[in-house]
Tab-separated table of all heavy atoms in Angstrom:
chain	number	residue	atom	x	y	z
A	1	MET	N	108.681	90.557	111.765
A	1	MET	CA	109.482	91.657	112.222
A	1	MET	C	108.587	92.751	112.839
A	1	MET	O	108.935	93.301	113.874
A	1	MET	CB	110.298	92.212	111.056
A	1	MET	CG	111.229	93.290	111.461
A	1	MET	SD	112.462	93.795	110.225
A	1	MET	CE	111.545	93.984	108.752
A	2	LEU	N	107.471	93.050	112.210
A	2	LEU	CA	106.577	94.066	112.755
A	2	LEU	C	105.990	93.643	114.090
A	2	LEU	O	105.896	94.452	115.018
A	2	LEU	CB	105.448	94.367	111.765
A	2	LEU	CG	105.849	95.031	110.464
A	2	LEU	CD1	104.665	95.104	109.515
A	2	LEU	CD2	106.413	96.410	110.721
A	3	LEU	N	105.618	92.396	114.188
A	3	LEU	CA	105.031	91.913	115.444
A	3	LEU	C	106.061	91.859	116.561
A	3	LEU	O	105.732	92.111	117.721
A	3	LEU	CB	104.367	90.555	115.225
A	3	LEU	CG	103.202	90.572	114.230
A	3	LEU	CD1	102.629	89.174	114.053
A	3	LEU	CD2	102.128	91.557	114.661
A	4	GLN	N	107.318	91.570	116.217
A	4	GLN	CA	108.386	91.602	117.228
A	4	GLN	C	108.615	93.033	117.703
A	4	GLN	O	108.787	93.278	118.895
A	4	GLN	CB	109.679	91.015	116.672
A	4	GLN	CG	110.755	90.844	117.733
A	4	GLN	CD	110.363	89.859	118.822
A	4	GLN	OE1	109.866	88.773	118.545
A	4	GLN	NE2	110.575	90.239	120.060
A	5	ALA	N	108.599	93.988	116.791
A	5	ALA	CA	108.738	95.401	117.160
A	5	ALA	C	107.571	95.835	118.043
A	5	ALA	O	107.765	96.573	119.022
A	5	ALA	CB	108.814	96.270	115.920
A	6	GLN	N	106.381	95.377	117.717
A	6	GLN	CA	105.207	95.699	118.530
A	6	GLN	C	105.420	95.239	119.968
A	6	GLN	O	105.175	95.988	120.913
A	6	GLN	CB	103.962	95.039	117.949
A	6	GLN	CG	102.718	95.236	118.793
A	6	GLN	CD	101.549	94.408	118.316
A	6	GLN	OE1	101.711	93.376	117.682
A	6	GLN	NE2	100.359	94.859	118.632
A	7	LYS	N	105.889	94.038	120.119
A	7	LYS	CA	106.111	93.469	121.443
A	7	LYS	C	107.244	94.189	122.177
A	7	LYS	O	107.082	94.602	123.330
A	7	LYS	CB	106.444	91.975	121.299
A	7	LYS	CG	106.710	91.272	122.596
A	7	LYS	CD	107.040	89.810	122.355
A	7	LYS	CE	107.468	89.143	123.641
A	7	LYS	NZ	107.936	87.778	123.417
A	8	ASP	N	108.364	94.358	121.517
A	8	ASP	CA	109.549	94.937	122.157
A	8	ASP	C	109.374	96.418	122.490
A	8	ASP	O	109.886	96.894	123.504
A	8	ASP	CB	110.784	94.780	121.267
A	8	ASP	CG	111.216	93.332	121.093
A	8	ASP	OD1	110.735	92.450	121.843
A	8	ASP	OD2	112.033	93.086	120.179
A	9	LEU	N	108.679	97.135	121.623
A	9	LEU	CA	108.586	98.589	121.762
A	9	LEU	C	107.205	99.069	122.219
A	9	LEU	O	106.958	100.271	122.302
A	9	LEU	CB	108.954	99.255	120.434
A	9	LEU	CG	110.343	98.905	119.904
A	9	LEU	CD1	110.538	99.450	118.503
A	9	LEU	CD2	111.423	99.416	120.850
A	10	HIS	N	106.301	98.118	122.481
A	10	HIS	CA	104.943	98.435	122.958
A	10	HIS	C	104.224	99.373	121.985
A	10	HIS	O	103.688	100.402	122.372
A	10	HIS	CB	104.994	99.027	124.362
A	10	HIS	CG	105.815	98.228	125.314
A	10	HIS	ND1	105.391	97.015	125.819
A	10	HIS	CD2	107.054	98.425	125.798
A	10	HIS	CE1	106.332	96.516	126.593
A	10	HIS	NE2	107.359	97.355	126.601
A	11	ILE	N	104.220	98.999	120.723
A	11	ILE	CA	103.609	99.809	119.671
A	11	ILE	C	102.130	99.472	119.556
A	11	ILE	O	101.747	98.306	119.529
A	11	ILE	CB	104.310	99.544	118.312
A	11	ILE	CG1	105.774	99.978	118.391
A	11	ILE	CG2	103.582	100.252	117.180
A	11	ILE	CD1	106.602	99.557	117.192
A	12	ASP	N	101.306	100.499	119.486
A	12	ASP	CA	99.876	100.327	119.239
A	12	ASP	C	99.683	100.256	117.726
A	12	ASP	O	99.716	101.270	117.038
A	12	ASP	CB	99.099	101.498	119.822
A	12	ASP	CG	97.591	101.374	119.643
A	12	ASP	OD1	97.123	100.454	118.932
A	12	ASP	OD2	96.873	102.211	120.206
A	13	MET	N	99.520	99.065	117.196
A	13	MET	CA	99.441	98.876	115.752
A	13	MET	C	98.213	99.540	115.144
A	13	MET	O	98.267	99.974	113.996
A	13	MET	CB	99.450	97.391	115.401
A	13	MET	CG	100.748	96.710	115.758
A	13	MET	SD	102.174	97.505	115.018
A	13	MET	CE	103.013	96.116	114.343
A	14	LYS	N	97.134	99.655	115.870
A	14	LYS	CA	95.935	100.297	115.333
A	14	LYS	C	96.159	101.793	115.093
A	14	LYS	O	95.485	102.387	114.273
A	14	LYS	CB	94.753	100.084	116.272
A	14	LYS	CG	94.267	98.648	116.325
A	14	LYS	CD	93.025	98.559	117.175
A	14	LYS	CE	92.526	97.199	117.493
A	14	LYS	NZ	92.627	96.133	116.667
A	15	ARG	N	97.125	102.377	115.795
A	15	ARG	CA	97.438	103.801	115.625
A	15	ARG	C	98.687	104.005	114.777
A	15	ARG	O	99.166	105.129	114.628
A	15	ARG	CB	97.628	104.448	116.989
A	15	ARG	CG	96.347	104.434	117.822
A	15	ARG	CD	96.497	105.170	119.123
A	15	ARG	NE	96.808	106.564	118.832
A	15	ARG	CZ	97.598	107.322	119.593
A	15	ARG	NH1	98.172	106.822	120.663
A	15	ARG	NH2	97.826	108.574	119.268
A	16	SER	N	99.217	102.923	114.217
A	16	SER	CA	100.460	102.986	113.449
A	16	SER	C	100.178	102.920	111.951
A	16	SER	O	99.111	102.481	111.530
A	16	SER	CB	101.367	101.815	113.834
A	16	SER	OG	101.695	101.890	115.205
A	17	TRP	N	101.172	103.349	111.190
A	17	TRP	CA	101.054	103.388	109.730
A	17	TRP	C	102.209	102.644	109.091
A	17	TRP	O	103.342	102.733	109.558
A	17	TRP	CB	101.107	104.831	109.238
A	17	TRP	CG	99.926	105.639	109.617
A	17	TRP	CD1	99.716	106.294	110.810
A	17	TRP	CD2	98.778	105.896	108.826
A	17	TRP	NE1	98.514	106.933	110.783
A	17	TRP	CE2	97.915	106.713	109.586
A	17	TRP	CE3	98.399	105.524	107.547
A	17	TRP	CZ2	96.690	107.157	109.100
A	17	TRP	CZ3	97.188	105.964	107.064
A	17	TRP	CH2	96.342	106.765	107.836
A	18	ILE	N	101.920	101.948	108.013
A	18	ILE	CA	102.953	101.411	107.127
A	18	ILE	C	102.820	102.171	105.809
A	18	ILE	O	101.731	102.249	105.233
A	18	ILE	CB	102.771	99.899	106.873
A	18	ILE	CG1	103.036	99.102	108.138
A	18	ILE	CG2	103.658	99.430	105.722
A	18	ILE	CD1	104.479	99.103	108.615
A	19	ILE	N	103.927	102.737	105.375
A	19	ILE	CA	103.982	103.432	104.093
A	19	ILE	C	104.929	102.638	103.213
A	19	ILE	O	106.065	102.369	103.614
A	19	ILE	CB	104.503	104.871	104.259
A	19	ILE	CG1	103.618	105.646	105.229
A	19	ILE	CG2	104.579	105.569	102.900
A	19	ILE	CD1	104.199	106.979	105.662
A	20	GLY	N	104.465	102.245	102.051
A	20	GLY	CA	105.318	101.457	101.173
A	20	GLY	C	104.985	101.658	99.714
A	20	GLY	O	103.954	102.242	99.378
A	21	ASP	N	105.861	101.138	98.862
A	21	ASP	CA	105.627	101.253	97.423
A	21	ASP	C	105.440	99.897	96.767
A	21	ASP	O	105.396	99.797	95.553
A	21	ASP	CB	106.751	102.034	96.738
A	21	ASP	CG	108.055	101.270	96.668
A	21	ASP	OD1	108.266	100.345	97.478
A	21	ASP	OD2	108.885	101.610	95.802
A	22	LYS	N	105.293	98.852	97.575
A	22	LYS	CA	105.074	97.499	97.039
A	22	LYS	C	103.870	96.864	97.720
A	22	LYS	O	103.577	97.124	98.887
A	22	LYS	CB	106.297	96.618	97.282
A	22	LYS	CG	107.523	97.053	96.535
A	22	LYS	CD	108.646	96.089	96.803
A	22	LYS	CE	109.907	96.578	96.120
A	22	LYS	NZ	111.053	95.764	96.500
A	23	ARG	N	103.222	95.995	96.977
A	23	ARG	CA	102.089	95.238	97.531
A	23	ARG	C	102.504	94.502	98.811
A	23	ARG	O	101.757	94.481	99.787
A	23	ARG	CB	101.566	94.251	96.489
A	23	ARG	CG	100.422	93.389	96.970
A	23	ARG	CD	99.963	92.430	95.883
A	23	ARG	NE	99.427	93.136	94.735
A	23	ARG	CZ	98.149	93.499	94.607
A	23	ARG	NH1	97.287	93.202	95.543
A	23	ARG	NH2	97.746	94.134	93.528
A	24	SER	N	103.693	93.939	98.827
A	24	SER	CA	104.141	93.188	100.007
A	24	SER	C	104.281	94.085	101.237
A	24	SER	O	104.019	93.644	102.355
A	24	SER	CB	105.459	92.467	99.717
A	24	SER	OG	106.468	93.388	99.351
A	25	ASP	N	104.669	95.345	101.055
A	25	ASP	CA	104.735	96.293	102.178
A	25	ASP	C	103.347	96.496	102.770
A	25	ASP	O	103.155	96.447	103.985
A	25	ASP	CB	105.256	97.665	101.716
A	25	ASP	CG	106.641	97.634	101.118
A	25	ASP	OD1	107.455	96.767	101.502
A	25	ASP	OD2	106.915	98.493	100.253
A	26	ILE	N	102.395	96.724	101.896
A	26	ILE	CA	101.021	96.987	102.323
A	26	ILE	C	100.407	95.751	102.976
A	26	ILE	O	99.758	95.840	104.021
A	26	ILE	CB	100.165	97.471	101.132
A	26	ILE	CG1	100.772	98.739	100.510
A	26	ILE	CG2	98.722	97.691	101.549
A	26	ILE	CD1	101.053	99.883	101.465
A	27	GLU	N	100.626	94.598	102.395
A	27	GLU	CA	100.082	93.362	102.968
A	27	GLU	C	100.683	93.082	104.345
A	27	GLU	O	99.985	92.616	105.252
A	27	GLU	CB	100.317	92.193	102.019
A	27	GLU	CG	99.441	92.279	100.775
A	27	GLU	CD	99.774	91.238	99.718
A	27	GLU	OE1	100.828	90.578	99.806
A	27	GLU	OE2	98.953	91.097	98.782
A	28	ALA	N	101.956	93.378	104.535
A	28	ALA	CA	102.587	93.197	105.847
A	28	ALA	C	101.938	94.131	106.869
A	28	ALA	O	101.642	93.717	107.999
A	28	ALA	CB	104.088	93.462	105.753
A	29	GLY	N	101.712	95.372	106.472
A	29	GLY	CA	101.050	96.316	107.373
A	29	GLY	C	99.637	95.890	107.709
A	29	GLY	O	99.217	95.960	108.871
A	30	GLN	N	98.901	95.429	106.730
A	30	GLN	CA	97.529	94.978	106.970
A	30	GLN	C	97.517	93.761	107.900
A	30	GLN	O	96.697	93.680	108.811
A	30	GLN	CB	96.849	94.659	105.641
A	30	GLN	CG	96.579	95.895	104.808
A	30	GLN	CD	96.181	95.592	103.380
A	30	GLN	OE1	96.464	94.522	102.843
A	30	GLN	NE2	95.527	96.555	102.735
A	31	ALA	N	98.435	92.835	107.686
A	31	ALA	CA	98.500	91.638	108.533
A	31	ALA	C	98.844	91.990	109.979
A	31	ALA	O	98.388	91.328	110.910
A	31	ALA	CB	99.524	90.652	107.974
A	32	ALA	N	99.625	93.055	110.161
A	32	ALA	CA	100.018	93.484	111.502
A	32	ALA	C	98.964	94.380	112.154
A	32	ALA	O	99.075	94.717	113.322
A	32	ALA	CB	101.350	94.218	111.436
A	33	GLY	N	97.941	94.784	111.381
A	33	GLY	CA	96.869	95.594	111.935
A	33	GLY	C	97.105	97.090	111.879
A	33	GLY	O	96.443	97.846	112.588
A	34	THR	N	98.029	97.529	111.012
A	34	THR	CA	98.291	98.961	110.874
A	34	THR	C	97.425	99.565	109.778
A	34	THR	O	96.824	98.853	108.979
A	34	THR	CB	99.764	99.239	110.517
A	34	THR	OG1	100.021	98.801	109.179
A	34	THR	CG2	100.719	98.568	111.479
A	35	GLN	N	97.413	100.870	109.728
A	35	GLN	CA	96.829	101.587	108.606
A	35	GLN	C	97.896	101.632	107.515
A	35	GLN	O	99.086	101.577	107.818
A	35	GLN	CB	96.413	102.978	109.046
A	35	GLN	CG	95.370	102.911	110.171
A	35	GLN	CD	95.017	104.280	110.689
A	35	GLN	OE1	94.340	105.033	110.001
A	35	GLN	NE2	95.478	104.585	111.876
A	36	THR	N	97.494	101.741	106.266
A	36	THR	CA	98.465	101.644	105.179
A	36	THR	C	98.311	102.760	104.156
A	36	THR	O	97.208	103.226	103.897
A	36	THR	CB	98.327	100.290	104.451
A	36	THR	OG1	96.996	100.162	103.946
A	36	THR	CG2	98.645	99.128	105.370
A	37	ILE	N	99.460	103.146	103.615
A	37	ILE	CA	99.489	104.114	102.516
A	37	ILE	C	100.452	103.585	101.461
A	37	ILE	O	101.597	103.244	101.772
A	37	ILE	CB	99.956	105.507	102.970
A	37	ILE	CG1	99.018	106.096	104.017
A	37	ILE	CG2	100.056	106.449	101.766
A	37	ILE	CD1	99.441	107.460	104.543
A	38	LEU	N	99.978	103.525	100.235
A	38	LEU	CA	100.813	103.159	99.098
A	38	LEU	C	101.323	104.425	98.436
A	38	LEU	O	100.523	105.283	98.051
A	38	LEU	CB	100.021	102.338	98.083
A	38	LEU	CG	100.772	101.937	96.812
A	38	LEU	CD1	101.783	100.844	97.121
A	38	LEU	CD2	99.805	101.488	95.736
A	39	VAL	N	102.639	104.580	98.342
A	39	VAL	CA	103.187	105.707	97.583
A	39	VAL	C	103.335	105.262	96.132
A	39	VAL	O	103.759	104.141	95.853
A	39	VAL	CB	104.520	106.233	98.159
A	39	VAL	CG1	104.299	106.908	99.499
A	39	VAL	CG2	105.552	105.145	98.297
A	40	THR	N	102.972	106.143	95.239
A	40	THR	CA	102.935	105.767	93.829
A	40	THR	C	104.242	106.065	93.100
A	40	THR	O	104.294	105.999	91.875
A	40	THR	CB	101.756	106.448	93.112
A	40	THR	OG1	101.853	107.863	93.275
A	40	THR	CG2	100.431	105.953	93.672
A	41	THR	N	105.296	106.367	93.839
A	41	THR	CA	106.627	106.465	93.248
A	41	THR	C	107.196	105.052	93.177
A	41	THR	O	106.740	104.150	93.880
A	41	THR	CB	107.550	107.354	94.093
A	41	THR	OG1	107.553	106.864	95.440
A	41	THR	CG2	107.090	108.789	94.082
A	42	GLY	N	108.165	104.828	92.360
A	42	GLY	CA	108.771	103.501	92.272
A	42	GLY	C	107.771	102.444	91.842
A	42	GLY	O	106.969	102.648	90.938
A	43	TYR	N	107.795	101.317	92.525
A	43	TYR	CA	106.906	100.203	92.202
A	43	TYR	C	105.435	100.538	92.408
A	43	TYR	O	104.567	99.951	91.785
A	43	TYR	CB	107.245	98.983	93.050
A	43	TYR	CG	108.615	98.430	92.819
A	43	TYR	CD1	109.636	98.633	93.746
A	43	TYR	CD2	108.907	97.692	91.683
A	43	TYR	CE1	110.904	98.121	93.545
A	43	TYR	CE2	110.166	97.173	91.464
A	43	TYR	CZ	111.164	97.395	92.405
A	43	TYR	OH	112.402	96.893	92.189
A	44	GLY	N	105.141	101.459	93.300
A	44	GLY	CA	103.764	101.785	93.650
A	44	GLY	C	102.906	102.236	92.489
A	44	GLY	O	101.675	102.132	92.542
A	45	ALA	N	103.520	102.732	91.437
A	45	ALA	CA	102.758	103.204	90.277
A	45	ALA	C	101.977	102.082	89.605
A	45	ALA	O	100.963	102.329	88.951
A	45	ALA	CB	103.695	103.868	89.270
A	46	THR	N	102.410	100.847	89.779
A	46	THR	CA	101.755	99.720	89.104
A	46	THR	C	101.082	98.736	90.060
A	46	THR	O	100.623	97.689	89.635
A	46	THR	CB	102.787	98.936	88.262
A	46	THR	OG1	103.806	98.422	89.131
A	46	THR	CG2	103.408	99.835	87.209
A	47	GLU	N	101.008	99.069	91.350
A	47	GLU	CA	100.489	98.126	92.341
A	47	GLU	C	98.971	98.126	92.484
A	47	GLU	O	98.417	97.252	93.123
A	47	GLU	CB	101.125	98.381	93.713
A	47	GLU	CG	102.594	98.029	93.779
A	47	GLU	CD	102.864	96.541	93.601
A	47	GLU	OE1	102.033	95.692	93.987
A	47	GLU	OE2	103.930	96.215	93.073
A	48	GLY	N	98.278	99.093	91.925
A	48	GLY	CA	96.821	99.112	92.013
A	48	GLY	C	96.333	99.618	93.352
A	48	GLY	O	97.044	100.310	94.077
A	49	ASP	N	95.103	99.263	93.684
A	49	ASP	CA	94.466	99.738	94.918
A	49	ASP	C	94.609	98.712	96.033
A	49	ASP	O	93.657	98.071	96.438
A	49	ASP	CB	92.983	100.021	94.659
A	49	ASP	CG	92.771	101.203	93.745
A	49	ASP	OD1	93.623	102.109	93.750
A	49	ASP	OD2	91.760	101.224	93.027
A	50	VAL	N	95.815	98.565	96.551
A	50	VAL	CA	96.048	97.574	97.600
A	50	VAL	C	96.001	98.178	98.999
A	50	VAL	O	95.835	97.462	99.971
A	50	VAL	CB	97.400	96.852	97.407
A	50	VAL	CG1	97.411	96.040	96.127
A	50	VAL	CG2	98.557	97.829	97.431
A	51	ALA	N	96.141	99.491	99.103
A	51	ALA	CA	96.191	100.142	100.409
A	51	ALA	C	94.933	100.963	100.656
A	51	ALA	O	94.192	101.285	99.727
A	51	ALA	CB	97.413	101.060	100.479
A	52	ALA	N	94.741	101.315	101.908
A	52	ALA	CA	93.602	102.160	102.264
A	52	ALA	C	93.711	103.527	101.606
A	52	ALA	O	92.712	104.098	101.188
A	52	ALA	CB	93.539	102.302	103.783
A	53	LEU	N	94.942	104.031	101.503
A	53	LEU	CA	95.180	105.349	100.919
A	53	LEU	C	96.332	105.290	99.941
A	53	LEU	O	97.189	104.413	100.038
A	53	LEU	CB	95.515	106.358	102.021
A	53	LEU	CG	94.447	106.582	103.090
A	53	LEU	CD1	95.030	107.360	104.249
A	53	LEU	CD2	93.257	107.304	102.493
A	54	LYS	N	96.354	106.243	99.027
A	54	LYS	CA	97.471	106.399	98.101
A	54	LYS	C	98.054	107.790	98.280
A	54	LYS	O	97.327	108.736	98.580
A	54	LYS	CB	97.025	106.255	96.646
A	54	LYS	CG	96.866	104.854	96.174
A	54	LYS	CD	96.618	104.856	94.675
A	54	LYS	CE	96.538	103.457	94.141
A	54	LYS	NZ	96.326	103.448	92.698
A	55	ALA	N	99.357	107.898	98.064
A	55	ALA	CA	100.040	109.189	98.115
A	55	ALA	C	101.017	109.254	96.955
A	55	ALA	O	101.543	108.233	96.522
A	55	ALA	CB	100.774	109.337	99.437
A	56	LYS	N	101.282	110.470	96.478
A	56	LYS	CA	102.180	110.600	95.333
A	56	LYS	C	103.643	110.412	95.721
A	56	LYS	O	104.460	110.053	94.877
A	56	LYS	CB	101.973	111.927	94.614
A	56	LYS	CG	102.209	113.143	95.446
A	56	LYS	CD	101.874	114.410	94.679
A	56	LYS	CE	101.984	115.614	95.603
A	56	LYS	NZ	101.554	116.829	94.963
A	57	ASN	N	103.977	110.621	97.003
A	57	ASN	CA	105.345	110.415	97.480
A	57	ASN	C	105.329	110.344	99.006
A	57	ASN	O	104.266	110.469	99.633
A	57	ASN	CB	106.282	111.524	96.974
A	57	ASN	CG	105.776	112.910	97.321
A	57	ASN	OD1	105.257	113.150	98.396
A	57	ASN	ND2	105.913	113.832	96.369
A	58	LEU	N	106.488	110.172	99.609
A	58	LEU	CA	106.567	110.023	101.058
A	58	LEU	C	106.120	111.288	101.781
A	58	LEU	O	105.424	111.220	102.798
A	58	LEU	CB	107.996	109.642	101.469
A	58	LEU	CG	108.229	109.365	102.943
A	58	LEU	CD1	107.309	108.274	103.461
A	58	LEU	CD2	109.684	108.994	103.189
A	59	LEU	N	106.489	112.444	101.274
A	59	LEU	CA	106.063	113.701	101.898
A	59	LEU	C	104.549	113.818	101.897
A	59	LEU	O	103.938	114.171	102.919
A	59	LEU	CB	106.692	114.897	101.173
A	59	LEU	CG	106.265	116.274	101.682
A	59	LEU	CD1	106.637	116.464	103.142
A	59	LEU	CD2	106.876	117.366	100.818
A	60	ASP	N	103.922	113.497	100.793
A	60	ASP	CA	102.463	113.534	100.687
A	60	ASP	C	101.828	112.575	101.699
A	60	ASP	O	100.843	112.910	102.349
A	60	ASP	CB	102.045	113.192	99.254
A	60	ASP	CG	100.564	113.369	98.990
A	60	ASP	OD1	99.997	114.370	99.454
A	60	ASP	OD2	99.990	112.506	98.295
A	61	ALA	N	102.397	111.396	101.862
A	61	ALA	CA	101.888	110.418	102.825
A	61	ALA	C	101.986	110.961	104.244
A	61	ALA	O	101.021	110.869	105.030
A	61	ALA	CB	102.660	109.110	102.695
A	62	CYS	N	103.125	111.531	104.582
A	62	CYS	CA	103.312	112.082	105.930
A	62	CYS	C	102.365	113.247	106.191
A	62	CYS	O	101.800	113.353	107.280
A	62	CYS	CB	104.759	112.524	106.113
A	62	CYS	SG	105.914	111.153	106.148
A	63	GLN	N	102.171	114.098	105.209
A	63	GLN	CA	101.253	115.219	105.379
A	63	GLN	C	99.828	114.726	105.623
A	63	GLN	O	99.094	115.291	106.432
A	63	GLN	CB	101.300	116.140	104.158
A	63	GLN	CG	102.585	116.933	104.102
A	63	GLN	CD	102.755	117.713	102.818
A	63	GLN	OE1	102.220	117.362	101.766
A	63	GLN	NE2	103.517	118.787	102.890
A	64	HIS	N	99.453	113.653	104.967
A	64	HIS	CA	98.123	113.088	105.180
A	64	HIS	C	97.985	112.572	106.618
A	64	HIS	O	96.978	112.833	107.276
A	64	HIS	CB	97.830	111.959	104.191
A	64	HIS	CG	96.487	111.354	104.422
A	64	HIS	ND1	95.316	111.974	104.045
A	64	HIS	CD2	96.120	110.210	105.049
A	64	HIS	CE1	94.291	111.228	104.423
A	64	HIS	NE2	94.756	110.161	105.028
A	65	ILE	N	98.992	111.867	107.088
A	65	ILE	CA	98.946	111.328	108.449
A	65	ILE	C	98.818	112.456	109.464
A	65	ILE	O	97.995	112.399	110.366
A	65	ILE	CB	100.190	110.467	108.739
A	65	ILE	CG1	100.143	109.184	107.899
A	65	ILE	CG2	100.283	110.138	110.225
A	65	ILE	CD1	101.432	108.398	107.906
A	66	PHE	N	99.617	113.498	109.326
A	66	PHE	CA	99.569	114.603	110.259
A	66	PHE	C	98.263	115.393	110.162
A	66	PHE	O	97.776	115.923	111.162
A	66	PHE	CB	100.774	115.529	110.098
A	66	PHE	CG	102.035	114.916	110.623
A	66	PHE	CD1	103.061	114.587	109.761
A	66	PHE	CD2	102.196	114.634	111.964
A	66	PHE	CE1	104.234	114.008	110.230
A	66	PHE	CE2	103.336	114.058	112.462
A	66	PHE	CZ	104.377	113.746	111.588
A	67	ALA	N	97.667	115.422	108.999
A	67	ALA	CA	96.398	116.141	108.833
A	67	ALA	C	95.255	115.451	109.549
A	67	ALA	O	94.327	116.125	110.014
A	67	ALA	CB	96.075	116.281	107.345
A	68	ILE	N	95.293	114.128	109.658
A	68	ILE	CA	94.181	113.422	110.307
A	68	ILE	C	94.480	113.065	111.755
A	68	ILE	O	93.627	112.551	112.442
A	68	ILE	CB	93.772	112.165	109.519
A	68	ILE	CG1	94.892	111.156	109.472
A	68	ILE	CG2	93.286	112.510	108.134
A	68	ILE	CD1	94.493	109.831	108.878
A	69	SER	N	95.688	113.340	112.227
A	69	SER	CA	96.047	113.023	113.619
A	69	SER	C	95.542	114.069	114.575
A	69	SER	O	95.290	115.157	114.301
A	69	SER	CB	97.560	112.908	113.755
A	69	SER	OG	98.019	111.808	113.009
């Protein structure tokens, strides 16, 4: 699905982010070549260090992205 979106919408995956709370979300983002953030709400609290970055919630993740952009 991510690769189809990349093709259809001309997305630069190296400049894109996947934010998720499950290992499978992060692995999908990594396989597609995106940067990844694991939010530690929900399932993310028990997923370990699977992503490049961790955030306490979605707002925290977004603030991090905007801070480094």
Side-chain angles (χ1 to χ4, degrees):
M1 184 169 47
L2 293 173
L3 298 179
Q4 188 63 46
Q6 176 189 25
K7 179 180 173 186
D8 293 347
L9 302 172
H10 310 287
I11 297 171
D12 182 352
M13 295 305 228
K14 291 185 188 327
R15 296 185 61 214
S16 299
W17 292 84
I18 292 292
I19 302 169
D21 71 337
K22 294 182 184 173
R23 178 180 296 272
S24 59
D25 300 331
I26 302 307
E27 289 172 347
Q30 291 168 338
T34 70
Q35 300 176 72
T36 58
I37 299 178
L38 178 73
V39 291
T40 57
T41 54
Y43 297 105
T46 61
E47 291 295 329
D49 292 331
V50 296
L53 300 168
K54 279 188 176 181
K56 60 184 174 186
N57 54 39
L58 184 56
L59 177 61
D60 187 42
C62 292
Q63 288 172 334
H64 179 76
I65 291 169
F66 287 113
I68 63 172
S69 295

